[in-house]
Amino acid sequence: MLLLGLMLLLLPAAGADLSGSAAPHRGPVHAAPSAPPLLLLPQPGPQYGAPGVALARSAAEESAGTGKAEREAAEHHHHDGGYRVVQWEWSYVQTPYIIAIWLLVASVAKILFHFSQRFTTVVPESCMLILLGLVLGGVVLIASKKQLYQLDPSLFFLFLLPTIVGDAGYFMPARLFFDNLGAILTYAVVGTLWNAFCTGFCLYAAKLLGIIDERVQADLMDFLLFGALISAVDPVAVLAVFEEVHVNEMLFIIVFGESLLNDAVTVVLYKVYISFVEAGAENVQTADYFKGVASFLIVSIGGTLVGLVFAVILGFITRFTKKVRIIEPLFVFLLVYLAYLTAELFSLSAILSMTFCGIGANKYVEANISQKSRTTVKYTMKTLASIAETIIFIFLGISAVDKSKWAWDTGLVSCTLVFIFVFRAVGVVGQTWVLNRFRLVPLDKIDQVVMSYGGLRGAVAFALVVLLDGERVKAKDYFVATTIVVVFFTVMFQGLTIKPLVKWLKVPRSTNRKPTINEEIHERAFDHILTAVEDIAGLQGYHHWRDKWEQFDKNYLSKLLLRKSVYRKSELWEAYQKINIRDAISVIDQ
């Protein structure tokens, strides 16, 4: 899916304004790309044509005319020189060749990076990839006098991000995720709103006080728009850094779950503020704010429902693939990706859609498909996610070398860094104080420090700020430069220092040990006991509703989505079979 997307989007195009290409629902309506977006191919010159059919037609005619002239010249040369044994066909293989070279360079860099054990224990892989991007971008800039390559937002949102989210959602530990769903939703919704509003208002206050230079032409709506896109925790950065730190499972799932579920808040705030900027602050009516609230509910709930619908479809289809095992992985990849695209199609939260599609389908799909298909799905998803992550961080580094994006203001950069860090810490402490009143396992102060420090920003914020329309948002260049600095600071500085911080605070680490059958039996027994206690006390708490869901799943969903031979197996037999497979794999590994 990722490589197909790269091939489709990396076709040569003339007159494409990269800053104007917009992914569905992420950017302003008027920012339609005038030609296919580019990632690895040279950027166009400064003379941009007007977007529309005329530009596309003129570009096509120009390329056709150029191709005809080249063919005539080749034919003339052919007749002059006779038959040529070897010919140079660079134009024919240029796009896939450049893609392959970039992937090869990144892969070799990762191999070299892991040669030094001392270096890898200190520097996260994401930092190394960004530094590699800076070096490569500098080499290209010195050689060509301009930056030829950059990360395109459309490619990022439609192909790179889905591979990472799909892998994370499909292999998400569902029990741990739903056990902490209340905390995740609180941090994702309330926390993101708190950070966005406070950052936007304080940046506007800093502008009024003269801390931010007058060259930054931005009003309150502009700063609120910037606060919305810079405040959300980034799933790519969190996944890259926290997986290397190996914090305990509960802490990881809360921070990573927050980074996934805050997508709906970010999308709605981004769309609302762009519409406010386009209309003008004086033309915004009270009803527009209520429409924004309704839009949040529709985007979040709609995206979740789309994902669950595709999860049901995926489980039902894999029920009948017993005689065509070879295409089982294909169904998994296609339907999970279609859940993402369908949500984008209706301007819903695509990240929520893909996450819940993966979580909802995993149980039924893994039971229906063969062991070989499970292995194929696992390693293909991991490989694609690793490739996408590598491309994202390298091109974040390359994009920072592009001088055309830099419009520096020390006051804006300094205030943004201070505000996002302070308000993140204050928000985490305040929300945790409320949540601990209702949690059986409270989050202690050490957990709160790691959560505050782990609010990393990444490629999502960069892609969103690049999509801004420079004509309507006058301070776009300053916002782009500030976003690059914030992303580099959070991923590199906080990424470098979070591992020593975790060691110094003695944060409990994660263990890769699988639970024994004795532990699973006792965990299941405790679930039933707690459900019985809630029923006796007349409470309808978490365990009560989980038991109701398990009964509904057993009586209806499993009968619909599981193959009969799988459904009729007892849970004890299933656990025994899993242990046998696990033991066999460990023996083979040894």
Side-chain angles (χ1 to χ4, degrees):
M1 176 181 69
L2 173 62
L3 295 180
L4 176 62
L6 287 172
M7 293 296 293
L8 291 175
L9 286 182
L10 297 183
L11 297 175
D17 184 359
L18 290 176
S19 64
S21 60
H25 85 64
R26 302 276 177 179
V29 177
H30 62 271
S34 57
L38 310 175
L39 170 66
L40 303 177
L41 295 181
Q43 296 182 25
Q47 290 83 14
Y48 297 127
V53 180
L55 175 62
R57 187 182 296 116
S58 63
E61 290 173 354
E62 181 182 350
S63 61
T66 305
K68 183 179 179 181
E70 290 178 355
R71 284 194 300 271
E72 290 176 353
E75 290 176 1
H76 178 71
H77 182 75
H78 170 74
H79 291 303
D80 288 345
Y83 176 72
R84 298 178 63 184
V85 178
V86 178
Q87 297 186 31
W88 180 258
E89 297 288 354
W90 172 246
S91 60
Y92 180 65
V93 300
Q94 179 182 5
T95 298
Y97 203 89
I98 291 177
I99 297 171
I101 291 297
W102 277 111
L103 293 179
L104 179 63
V105 169
S107 302
V108 170
K110 294 178 78 168
I111 293 174
L112 296 175
F113 171 72
H114 286 283
F115 270 152
S116 175
Q117 187 67 27
R118 184 179 300 176
F119 187 67
T120 55
T121 55
V122 177
V123 182
E125 190 176 284
S126 56
C127 298
M128 185 273 298
L129 293 173
I130 288 179
L131 291 174
L132 176 62
L134 286 170
V135 172
L136 293 176
V139 171
V140 172
L141 185 63
I142 293 172
S144 304
K145 305 301 181 183
K146 62 179 180 180
Q147 187 52 261
L148 298 178
Y149 309 105
Q150 72 172 1
L151 178 65
D152 176 65
S154 295
L155 179 61
F156 170 76
F157 282 121
L158 292 179
F159 294 98
L160 297 177
L161 184 60
T163 58
I164 298 173
V165 175
D167 171 60
Y170 188 79
F171 295 104
M172 178 85 71
R175 171 68 185 266
L176 196 61
F177 178 79
F178 287 107
D179 282 351
N180 295 279
L181 185 59
I184 292 171
L185 286 173
T186 302
Y187 291 123
V189 179
V190 180
T192 304
L193 289 173
W194 161 265
N195 292 333
F197 287 132
C198 291
T199 302
F201 280 115
C202 288
L203 286 175
Y204 182 64
K207 175 71 184 300
L208 295 179
L209 294 173
I211 300 175
I212 297 176
D213 198 278
E214 294 181 356
R215 294 174 299 171
V216 183
Q217 300 178 20
D219 56 16
L220 177 60
M221 286 299 171
D222 294 323
F223 283 119
L224 287 175
L225 172 60
F226 180 64
L229 64 89
I230 203 66
S231 297
V233 179
D234 186 80
V236 181
V238 169
L239 195 63
V241 173
F242 271 65
E243 279 192 338
E244 294 193 28
V245 177
H246 300 297
V247 296
N248 61 80
E249 290 85 353
M250 183 185 69
L251 201 55
F252 173 77
I253 205 70
I254 289 177
V255 178
F256 182 58
E258 174 197 353
S259 70
L260 288 174
L261 301 192
N262 66 20
D263 176 69
V265 180
T266 305
V267 167
V268 172
L269 287 179
Y270 188 79
K271 288 172 59 180
V272 167
Y273 287 135
I274 279 183
S275 63
F276 287 175
V277 169
E278 291 177 353
E282 64 280 359
N283 297 322
V284 177
Q285 300 177 356
T286 307
D288 294 327
Y289 296 102
F290 290 100
K291 290 179 182 178
V293 175
S295 178
F296 164 72
L297 297 175
I298 293 172
V299 166
S300 56
I301 298 175
T304 303
L305 290 177
V306 168
L308 294 177
V309 167
F310 274 90
V312 172
I313 295 173
L314 178 55
F316 187 75
I317 288 178
T318 54
R319 181 182 175 183
F320 303 101
T321 57
K322 186 175 183 179
K323 296 184 179 180
V324 281
R325 297 289 195 188
I326 194 69
I327 62 172
E328 285 177 336
L330 181 63
F331 280 121
V332 176
F333 301 141
L334 284 180
L335 286 168
V336 171
Y337 186 50
L338 281 174
Y340 184 94
L341 293 181
T342 304
E344 289 278 11
L345 180 65
F346 293 102
S347 298
L348 304 174
S349 174
I351 292 181
L352 279 179
S353 177
M354 202 172 207
T355 301
F356 280 96
C357 178
I359 294 175
N362 179 273
K363 171 186 173 181
Y364 309 104
V365 172
E366 293 288 299
N368 286 334
I369 64 179
S370 66
Q371 182 62 38
K372 290 182 179 180
S373 296
R374 292 187 204 120
T375 305
T376 303
V377 169
K378 177 180 178 180
Y379 286 102
T380 303
M381 280 192 171
K382 297 294 181 185
T383 301
L384 292 177
S386 177
I387 292 172
E389 187 179 294
T390 301
I391 292 173
I392 288 170
F393 284 116
I394 285 181
F395 279 90
L396 277 176
I398 291 175
S399 299
V401 186
D402 190 357
K403 294 185 294 184
S404 64
K405 288 188 173 66
W406 283 88
W408 182 266
D409 181 67
T410 305
L412 178 61
V413 173
S414 303
C415 289
T416 303
L417 286 172
V418 171
F419 291 153
I420 63 172
F421 191 81
V422 169
F423 291 128
R424 169 74 181 175
V426 172
V428 166
V429 172
Q431 292 169 92
T432 306
W433 181 79
V434 175
L435 288 171
N436 281 343
R437 293 173 170 266
F438 305 97
R439 288 179 60 89
L440 292 176
V441 182
L443 297 166
D444 56 28
K445 294 181 179 179
I446 293 177
D447 294 331
Q448 295 174 44
V449 171
V450 176
M451 290 168 61
S452 301
Y453 202 73
L456 308 177
R457 276 67 171 179
V460 173
F462 175 77
L464 288 176
V465 77
V466 168
L467 285 174
L468 295 176
D469 181 17
E471 294 183 0
R472 296 184 181 274
V473 183
K474 303 297 183 182
K476 175 187 174 180
D477 291 341
Y478 292 96
F479 290 161
V480 171
T482 304
T483 302
I484 291 174
V485 173
V486 169
V487 170
F488 277 33
F489 180 84
T490 57
V491 174
M492 298 186 70
F493 178 76
Q494 291 179 225
L496 282 169
T497 55
I498 194 171
K499 188 177 288 188
L501 179 66
V502 166
K503 288 183 179 179
W504 181 63
L505 294 175
K506 298 180 180 179
V507 178
R509 300 298 188 91
S510 63
T511 57
N512 294 323
R513 184 182 66 85
K514 299 287 185 180
T516 63
I517 191 171
N518 188 36
E519 291 172 341
E520 290 184 0
I521 291 173
H522 278 82
E523 184 180 15
R524 185 68 58 85
F526 278 123
D527 288 341
H528 288 300
I529 291 171
L530 290 172
T531 303
V533 169
E534 288 184 355
D535 288 342
I536 293 172
L539 300 175
Q540 293 184 350
Y542 172 72
H543 293 88
H544 170 82
W545 289 111
R546 187 172 63 189
D547 183 67
K548 292 293 184 184
W549 167 255
E550 289 179 352
Q551 293 299 322
F552 175 78
D553 176 52
K554 184 177 180 181
N555 295 330
Y556 300 101
L557 283 181
S558 293
K559 288 182 179 180
L560 175 67
L561 303 180
L562 290 180
R563 194 177 292 118
K564 289 184 179 180
S565 59
V566 176
Y567 176 71
R568 290 172 180 171
K569 288 181 181 178
S570 65
E571 293 181 1
L572 186 61
W573 170 257
E574 187 179 346
Y576 174 74
Q577 192 177 25
K578 286 182 179 179
I579 292 174
N580 271 345
I581 294 174
R582 189 189 309 158
D583 292 341
I585 293 174
S586 64
V587 169
I588 292 172
D589 290 339
Q590 292 173 1

